[in-house]
Amino acid sequence: MEELEREYHKILSDYIKDQNERNLYIGQNFVRQLIRRNVAPEDVVSLHKEAVEEIFPEEIEGLRTAYDFLIEMMVHYGMALREHQSLIQKQAELQIEMNIAANVQKTMLQTTIPTSEQVEIGMVSTPLKTVNGDYVHFIEDDRYVGVAVTDVVGKGVPAALCMSMVKYGLETMRDSGHTPSRVLSVLNRIVEQNVDDSMFISMFYGCYVPRANKFYYGSAGHEPAFLYRAQEDKFYDLEANGILLGIIPTAEYIDNEVVLHKDDMVIVVTDGVTEFRQGDDIDERGVVASLINDVKHLAPQQICEYLYRELEELHEFNLRDDFTVVVIKKR
Amino acid sequence: MDMKVYFKEDDNVLRGYVEGEIDAYTAPQLRDGLEAVEVTEGLNIEVDLTNVSYIDSTGLGIFVAFYKRVQREGGNVRLTGLSERIKHLFKITGLSELMNIEGEKKVKLS
């Protein structure tokens, strides 16, 4: 510090003697040295104060308090600045993580909507932000068409990795894809071993088996799906008990089944669709069912898109969560 | 949006009070509040959610993590004062089968 004091004293007195470009330039270069040595803003003011004291000893008396005040100001300025910079850095790091997660989703987690002679399927899954916390994966073989609709709690890279665990878990279970209880209990063990305590997944797994003309389903802590019965023109809840994936290693799940007739629909949603967050007095599922009812004659993909548009408008284009709906319609 | 969490000790029961809306924005505050609780063997903890108007899945995650930690460290935790809506959320997620929620039956972690 003493060395810096001497140096600054010289630079300042040179400039006071002759205010030329060269002397100014020396001062500017000195700033670089200060930054290299990590000198705080208040110490720079203090350097200046001491130099002024030596150069103008008679005039400093009245100014001393003013300088001390400025030093105090700069102490707080420096703290606020450092805090601000560290926040910016943290934000940049988070952004990088989010981009990685979004990339993982774009590249690794793609799924294709199956085409089948028996059922027609549509889907909309839209993230609230860059990264989608909802995840849909379809699997099929010649015996069935299966769909897993999940909501992962947790954000960023861990959530995206969790989804890829679910995807590859499902892919290795193609042979059991027509038994929801087995799919859910195997995935539960995979997830339970791999994620931290506050992270978990809710999943609705359902599969249509043409030979039996039945839709089999099970739920791990997921919002009930809707069943639309065309003949009765009525909506039902497909309730299924089961705890969230990733909480109890030995959790067991139950198989449920319904027969599907022509134009019946199964509508699987995440809570971003049914959660209105406006108090207790709104029958949220009723609103969703009535919107679907308005367009039940359309193709599943169009129904999904209509539901998204209408709910977006209902929430004044301010949806609060990731939004996923899958519609399976019996041909 | 705001939330508060504080604890009071009362006749060998540690009573927690949570107030406000618990979502992705306020959840870190709840997590810090619950993580600060020192769990000792046999400690009974009761968390009152009477003044909680909303919990999302992030909030649920915080309670699950707290529940697991308390179990591991030999304490007991009970959630009380859940509104119908929040109770329904615990029911759908299957958590009401696991956790002790306002007098409902409890299944132990195996």
Side-chain angles (χ1 to χ4, degrees):
Chain A
M1 204 62 187
E2 254 176 59
E3 185 193 326
L4 288 178
E5 274 168 24
R6 269 200 306 279
E7 212 172 319
Y8 185 70
H9 181 264
K10 178 163 190 325
I11 294 169
L12 182 62
S13 35
D14 285 351
Y15 186 76
I16 288 166
K17 262 181 239 140
D18 183 1
Q19 287 115 56
N20 62 26
E21 281 295 317
R22 188 178 164 273
N23 284 340
L24 182 62
Y25 178 71
I26 293 172
Q28 286 166 344
N29 269 339
F30 182 69
V31 171
R32 291 207 186 107
Q33 210 188 122
L34 294 176
I35 289 174
R36 253 201 319 275
R37 297 200 184 184
N38 225 351
V39 178
E42 64 270 23
D43 293 333
V44 177
V45 178
S46 160
L47 269 183
H48 184 71
K49 177 190 160 200
E50 269 156 42
V52 173
E53 255 173 345
E54 283 174 32
I55 301 169
F56 303 107
E58 305 85 36
E59 286 153 64
I60 189 69
E61 213 39 58
L63 288 172
R64 188 168 282 134
T65 321
Y67 271 116
D68 289 343
F69 179 72
L70 182 57
I71 290 170
E72 281 304 318
M73 297 260 297
M74 294 317 277
V75 168
H76 289 276
Y77 177 84
M79 280 191 304
L81 187 68
R82 280 190 292 275
E83 196 181 335
H84 181 69
Q85 281 166 337
S86 104
L87 278 177
I88 287 178
Q89 196 185 349
K90 225 182 261 172
Q91 201 177 20
E93 283 165 6
L94 281 177
Q95 193 55 46
I96 290 170
E97 177 166 324
M98 282 299 169
N99 289 343
I100 294 172
N103 249 322
V104 169
Q105 286 192 332
K106 237 182 266 160
T107 53
M108 284 167 71
L109 296 174
Q110 281 307 323
T111 188
T112 323
I113 300 176
T115 49
S116 145
E117 284 175 13
Q118 310 286 329
V119 285
E120 192 182 353
I121 302 172
M123 169 180 99
V124 164
S125 184
T126 310
L128 181 66
K129 294 185 185 141
T130 346
V131 182
N132 200 339
D134 292 352
Y135 172 60
V136 178
H137 190 67
F138 294 99
I139 54 172
E140 59 177 324
D141 73 5
D142 46 6
R143 293 165 295 172
Y144 68 91
V145 180
V147 60
V149 175
T150 62
D151 184 350
V152 176
V153 172
K155 294 268 173 285
V157 171
L161 291 177
C162 204
M163 289 176 196
S164 65
M165 257 166 16
V166 168
K167 172 177 175 170
Y168 295 107
L170 280 168
E171 286 295 337
T172 55
M173 276 190 289
R174 274 179 186 276
D175 280 346
S176 327
H178 50 287
T179 318
S181 59
R182 175 151 171 76
V183 169
L184 291 172
S185 61
V186 171
L187 285 178
N188 176 57
R189 278 202 298 278
I190 297 177
V191 172
E192 206 277 331
Q193 280 170 22
N194 286 286
V195 301
D196 75 67
D197 280 356
S198 63
M199 198 157 151
F200 52 73
I201 302 177
S202 80
M203 176 185 287
F204 181 93
Y205 181 80
C207 57
Y208 176 72
V209 179
R211 231 180 61 188
N213 191 30
K214 277 180 183 166
F215 184 78
Y216 297 88
Y217 63 96
S219 167
H222 198 86
E223 184 80 19
F226 296 87
L227 170 69
Y228 171 72
R229 287 291 192 202
Q231 211 172 4
E232 299 168 55
D233 195 22
K234 263 178 92 173
F235 284 85
Y236 295 92
D237 285 346
L238 286 186
E239 302 233 24
N241 292 328
I243 194 163
L244 296 159
L245 300 180
I247 294 186
I248 311 177
T250 53
E252 281 177 19
Y253 298 90
I254 302 159
D255 287 315
N256 307 270
E257 56 178 70
V258 282
V259 176
L260 293 187
H261 304 290
K262 187 172 164 27
D263 291 331
D264 283 354
M265 288 190 281
V266 173
I267 301 114
V268 192
V269 295
T270 54
D271 58 2
V273 177
T274 47
E275 182 71 68
F276 289 16
R277 200 170 175 170
Q278 278 163 357
D280 283 323
D281 44 345
I282 298 168
D283 173 19
E284 297 150 327
R285 291 180 63 89
V287 172
V288 172
S290 103
L291 285 171
I292 296 168
N293 193 51
D294 293 343
V295 290
K296 61 196 172 198
H297 55 282
L298 295 180
Q301 186 59 37
Q302 288 170 295
I303 295 175
C304 294
E305 284 162 16
Y306 173 82
L307 187 64
Y308 179 70
R309 275 199 310 274
E310 288 297 310
L311 286 176
E312 204 184 19
E313 206 179 308
L314 191 73
H315 294 292
E316 289 158 352
F317 301 93
N318 187 20
L319 289 172
R320 302 285 284 268
D321 200 353
D322 305 323
F323 182 104
T324 297
V325 56
V326 174
V327 171
I328 300 159
K329 195 178 200 172
K330 178 79 175 79
R331 289 185 200 266
Chain B
M1 239 175 308
D2 208 13
M3 69 122 347
K4 267 195 255 175
V5 52
Y6 53 94
F7 281 88
K8 277 184 201 163
E9 227 174 313
D10 174 19
D11 288 343
N12 294 332
V13 177
L14 185 63
R15 291 186 198 282
Y17 298 88
V18 184
E19 292 171 13
E21 297 186 8
I22 309 168
D23 59 17
Y25 300 98
T26 58
Q29 225 177 309
L30 175 65
R31 192 190 50 221
D32 294 346
L34 294 180
E35 270 178 6
V37 173
E38 223 175 284
V39 181
T40 49
E41 187 82 31
L43 176 71
N44 289 316
I45 305 169
E46 237 178 74
V47 183
D48 186 337
L49 305 183
T50 307
N51 292 317
V52 173
S53 51
Y54 176 85
I55 298 184
D56 77 350
S57 43
T58 319
L60 275 187
I62 305 291
F63 283 114
V64 170
F66 181 60
Y67 169 80
K68 284 190 154 186
R69 177 167 77 91
V70 173
Q71 287 273 311
R72 249 194 329 263
E73 295 172 2
N76 300 299
V77 63
R78 212 167 95 92
L79 302 181
T80 63
L82 281 72
S83 70
E84 276 310 308
R85 203 186 165 84
I86 292 171
K87 229 195 234 174
H88 183 66
L89 183 64
F90 276 84
K91 187 175 176 291
I92 284 185
T93 51
L95 292 174
S96 51
E97 296 289 311
L98 173 79
M99 297 167 74
N100 192 343
I101 289 156
E102 206 164 31
E104 288 194 56
K105 254 180 111 186
K106 183 176 124 180
V107 178
K108 271 211 142 178
L109 248 188
S110 41

